[in-house]
Amino acid sequence: MKVITSVTQMHAVAQQYAKDGTLGFVPTMGYLHEGHGSLIERAVQENDRAVVSVFVNPTQFAPGEDLSSYPRDLEKDLAFCQSLGATAVFHPEPNEMYGPNFAAIVEVPSLTVNLCARARPSHFKGVCTVVAKLFNIVAPTRAYFGLKDAQQFFILRRMVLDLNFPIELVGCPTVREADGLAMSSRNSYLSLTERKAAPILHKALEEGRALILAGEKKRAPIIDKIQRVLATEPLVSLEYVELVETLGLRQTDEITGEVLCALAARIGTTRLIDNFIFS
Amino acid sequence: MKVITSVTQMHAVAQQYAKDGTLGFVPTMGYLHEGHGSLIERAVQENDRAVVSVFVNPTQFAPGEDLSSYPRDLEKDLAFCQSLGATAVFHPEPNEMYGPNFAAIVEVPSLTVNLCARARPSHFKGVCTVVAKLFNIVAPTRAYFGLKDAQQFFILRRMVLDLNFPIELVGCPTVREADGLAMSSRNSYLSLTERKAAPILHKALEEGRALILAGEKKRAPIIDKIQRVLATEPLVSLEYVELVETLGLRQTDEITGEVLCALAARIGTTRLIDNFIFS
């Protein structure tokens, strides 16, 4: 497995790969867990070669967010990628990605109004811009993203369609711990007590989903149910829980097509997200 | 010469071209003149194949600008491209480029503060977005732009660098009429009297350049000279004349590196631009 730190070299290697087969790509911020593992496995299975990027992208963190404390363990990440059959890992330094005069921005403004964009207004600009860069550097056939970050997936899907990136975007199911907690690198921030409380996020969403399965189409009772379940756990401070249609990510009062039900909450100081998609 | 109207077909054809050689690309809004001709000739000479796009991009016109009246002559454009040896012309309809849920934006905010961006604040967003789309659709080796649109060139150069488009951007010298007027599709809007007055734009810039060549390094006397020359022509209404460094397009009070001296002016109702680069 190659470990590449230079943009120029990554592009040259990827161009070679593209000449004789398909290329799967998994962009990550590292500190890899089984959720990432499921993406890498699919990228390896479905393509002739697979590249994983490990890059804690500074531009998607706002001042005061957890950029400096974001967990990192490159050696473990490399061993994990190798064990899953990745062909190469791209691990650039921030100044290799962003020179001193860096100025371009890619964004999807109409999809960055609701959900996580309310609390993190600049976050998805950073995500779209770095993913556009990575797509141009790696030029993959397919790129794999976890649906735990559902808003990110729908925004990137829009970006790929609108900007005509010749790349197939693959959204992969959220991988969960045995007790239902969505896997996340940020789970490592949780104390033992907080960790025990955290599965309530998934449990609450599951009760909302059960209502829909039982025939409920209206937004209000679904959201109300989820909020009431979350209120039983005093360690949870809810940031939002919302029901939106998946094309425009606009709040919907009644389910008529595919919807995303998503939430963000703090447990202690740790901000976690989770969701389900119903179609 | 192929004439292609579908994004999917253009991408497939371009992928075929890319397999066995280099591809030059000239994005235009049509109504082609010798300025475009010089770009097409270079694209044909320097690459195995050359694609010209003819697309009056609606998103780079603000409400009240000349989108509906912008001159068009597809048949003449196709004959011109064929005569110069282009391999294909890409001529999509607006709804082929922008679907009903189109939402992505590419921009370079720090370079879109001065010069033409003052009067046309949304213009370069439209330009960057459509050029990013065209780059992904055509995937050329090299793309050719006229330096008459100097701000556009410097913005796109930044976009290509920052977003890692694997494309060489080639800036080509402004082509002029015998009397010095920079060629532009918008020259067709000028009445005979206005057409006779229009070369003053180039003449004024030339006098500014002569001052620099004579050793002047300060902004004020250079701008003053140009303004005084323009003031001798009552048909000219100056929008701006500015001296900026070419990296950040920020006003410079003293020439220390490469500078762009650019102006925009109305002659009657027609907005024209011209410039020189000094390095």
Side-chain angles (χ1 to χ4, degrees), chain A residues 121-151:
Chain A
S122 65
H123 172 67
F124 292 110
K125 267 190 209 185
V127 170
C128 288
T129 305
V130 79
V131 171
K133 285 171 66 64
L134 290 167
F135 281 180
N136 281 337
I137 295 165
V138 178
T141 318
R142 299 182 186 87
Y144 297 79
F145 293 87
L147 288 173
K148 204 256 303 177
D149 300 296
Q151 185 173 17

Side-chain angles (χ1 to χ4, degrees), chain B residues 60-88:
Chain B
Q60 68 194 68
F61 292 80
E65 288 185 351
D66 58 343
L67 172 60
S68 59
S69 61
Y70 196 84
R72 293 161 167 89
D73 190 341
L74 183 63
E75 269 189 54
K76 197 173 154 206
D77 288 348
L78 295 178
F80 187 60
C81 291
Q82 184 149 33
S83 76
L84 295 175
T87 319

Side-chain angles (χ1 to χ4, degrees), chain B residues 14 25-26 32 42-43 55 73 86 138 145 150 154 169 171 184 189 210 226-227 231 238 252-253 257 266 271 273 277:
Chain B
F25 177 45
V26 183
L32 304 177
R42 265 190 84 170
F55 179 59
D73 190 341
V138 178
F145 292 87
F154 291 119
L169 228 59
S184 165
Y189 296 151
I226 296 169
Q227 286 173 334
L238 184 64
T252 180
D253 288 333
R266 286 193 187 269
R271 185 177 182 278
I273 59 175
I277 294 165

Side-chain angles (χ1 to χ4, degrees), chain A residues 7 11 97 101-111 129 132-133 136-137 158-159 161-166 247, chain B residues 7 11 97 101-110 129 132-133 136-137 158-159 161-166 247:
Chain A
V7 164
H11 185 66
M97 292 291 275
N101 297 299
F102 191 90
I105 286 174
V106 183
E107 58 176 328
V108 185
S110 62
L111 300 192
T129 305
K133 285 171 66 64
N136 281 337
I137 295 165
R158 191 76 252 162
M159 179 188 88
L161 276 172
D162 286 357
L163 299 184
N164 305 96
F165 279 99
L247 193 61
Chain B
V7 164
H11 185 65
M97 292 290 276
N101 297 300
F102 190 92
I105 285 173
V106 183
E107 60 176 326
V108 185
S110 62
T129 306
K133 285 170 65 64
N136 281 336
I137 295 165
R158 191 77 253 161
M159 178 187 89
L161 276 172
D162 287 357
L163 299 183
N164 305 97
F165 279 99
L247 193 63

